């Protein structure tokens, strides 16, 4: 038999509403199931086949949850920590109960795009070296990058501590500001590469990861669910990498 879920849970699973907001919507008669208003939050619904609307908008239940976060500084990219706040602490309880994991990590002081999901297969593909997912970072540095730095990044660098960095993109934006594009994700890589060129990083923010770009409307600490179009494009890109 198909899995049946409580209506309020099903709406909260979308990440668009908390469980309480979902219950309020349902009790106010703003939720329909297969065309009929249902006012009982505990009503059981088959998420795979039911046609749902909430507040007049169609709602699609998704097996997995995909969250785009604008990670703020001062927060760890981890699922739990006894002493310091983690990115999971920024999510409401109904999302914290899911098995969401950050896809890759940003340093504590780095801001910007972080994807969190319970879709382990997609996360694995995004992080696999063969996927060659471009990650673009906006950096503010001491000093301004020059042609020599751009050439060194393009050629690939071996740092003094032996870290081998593949060819990377470096674009000057103005005094003390640049964009770095990496295809790998080694520990503190942007900071270490720029420091090795005598341009230590003062501020770092990830702008994009593969086809996913940080929503400019998200302030640091804010998050939203990925749109269906964003999930589709991620899946398509990963499928094509793994067919090659
Ligand atoms: N490179 C860094 O140095 N830090 C990050 O957080 C991400 C990439």
């Amino acid at each position: 038999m198909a899995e049946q879920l409580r209506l309020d849970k099903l709406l909260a699973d979308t990440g668009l509403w908390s469980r309480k907001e979902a219950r309020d919507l349902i009790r106010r008669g703003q939720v329909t199931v297969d065309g009929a208003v249902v006012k009982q939050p505990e009503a059981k619904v088959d998420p795979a086949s039911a046609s749902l609307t909430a507040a007049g908008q169609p709602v699609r239940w998704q097996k997995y949850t995909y969250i785009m976060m604008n990670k703020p500084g001062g927060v760890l990219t981890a699922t739990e920590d006894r002493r310091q706040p983690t990115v999971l602490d920024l999510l409401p309880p109904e999302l914290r109960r899911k098995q969401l994991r950050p896809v890759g990590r940003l340093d504590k002081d780095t801001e910007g795009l972080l994807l969190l999901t319970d879709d382990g297969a997609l996360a694995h593909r995004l992080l696999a070296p063969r996927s060659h997912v471009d990650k673009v970072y906006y950096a503010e540095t001491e000093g301004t990058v020059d042609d020599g730095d751009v050439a060194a990044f393009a050629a690939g660098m071996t740092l003094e501590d032996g870290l081998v960095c593949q060819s990377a993109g470096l674009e000057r934006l103005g005094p003390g500001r640049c964009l770095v594009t990496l295809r790998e994700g080694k520990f503190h890589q942007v900071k270490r590469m720029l420091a090795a060129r005598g341009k230590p990083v003062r501020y770092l923010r990830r702008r994009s990861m593969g086809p996913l770009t940080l929503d400019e409307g998200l302030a640091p600490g804010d998050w939203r669910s990925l749109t269906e179009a964003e999930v589709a494009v991620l899946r398509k890109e990963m499928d094509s990498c793994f067919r090659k």
Side-chain angles (χ1 to χ4, degrees), residues 50-172:
S51 167
L52 292 178
T53 68
Q57 298 300 316
V59 174
R60 279 263 322 263
W61 178 79
Q62 290 183 326
K63 184 169 182 189
Y64 296 115
T65 301
Y66 305 89
I67 301 292
M68 171 189 290
M69 179 180 284
N70 184 355
K71 178 193 168 297
V75 171
L76 295 181
T77 308
T79 51
E80 56 183 8
D81 191 88
R82 285 170 59 190
R83 286 184 198 87
Q84 303 187 62
T86 74
V87 288
L88 264 288
D89 295 328
L90 298 171
L91 298 176
E94 63 275 10
L95 287 178
R96 286 207 302 272
R97 275 195 293 272
K98 295 179 170 228
Q99 300 297 308
L100 296 177
R101 301 257 175 280
V103 181
R105 66 184 292 288
L106 294 176
D107 297 337
K108 185 175 170 190
D109 59 350
T110 301
E111 296 186 354
L113 176 66
L114 187 67
L115 175 65
L116 296 119
T117 184
D118 49 1
D119 181 347
L122 186 76
H124 175 76
R125 286 181 160 203
L126 275 164
L127 295 174
R130 68 186 277 196
S131 305
H132 299 304
V133 173
D134 278 353
K135 272 113 15 198
V136 180
Y137 297 86
Y138 166 79
E140 292 178 5
T141 54
E142 269 172 45
T144 298
V145 298
D146 57 25
D147 289 346
D149 301 324
V150 174
F153 269 55
M157 294 164 62
T158 300
L159 308 188
E160 270 180 11
D161 58 12
L163 183 77
V164 178
C165 303
Q166 292 168 18
S167 171
L170 180 60
E171 187 187 328
R172 270 163 295 182

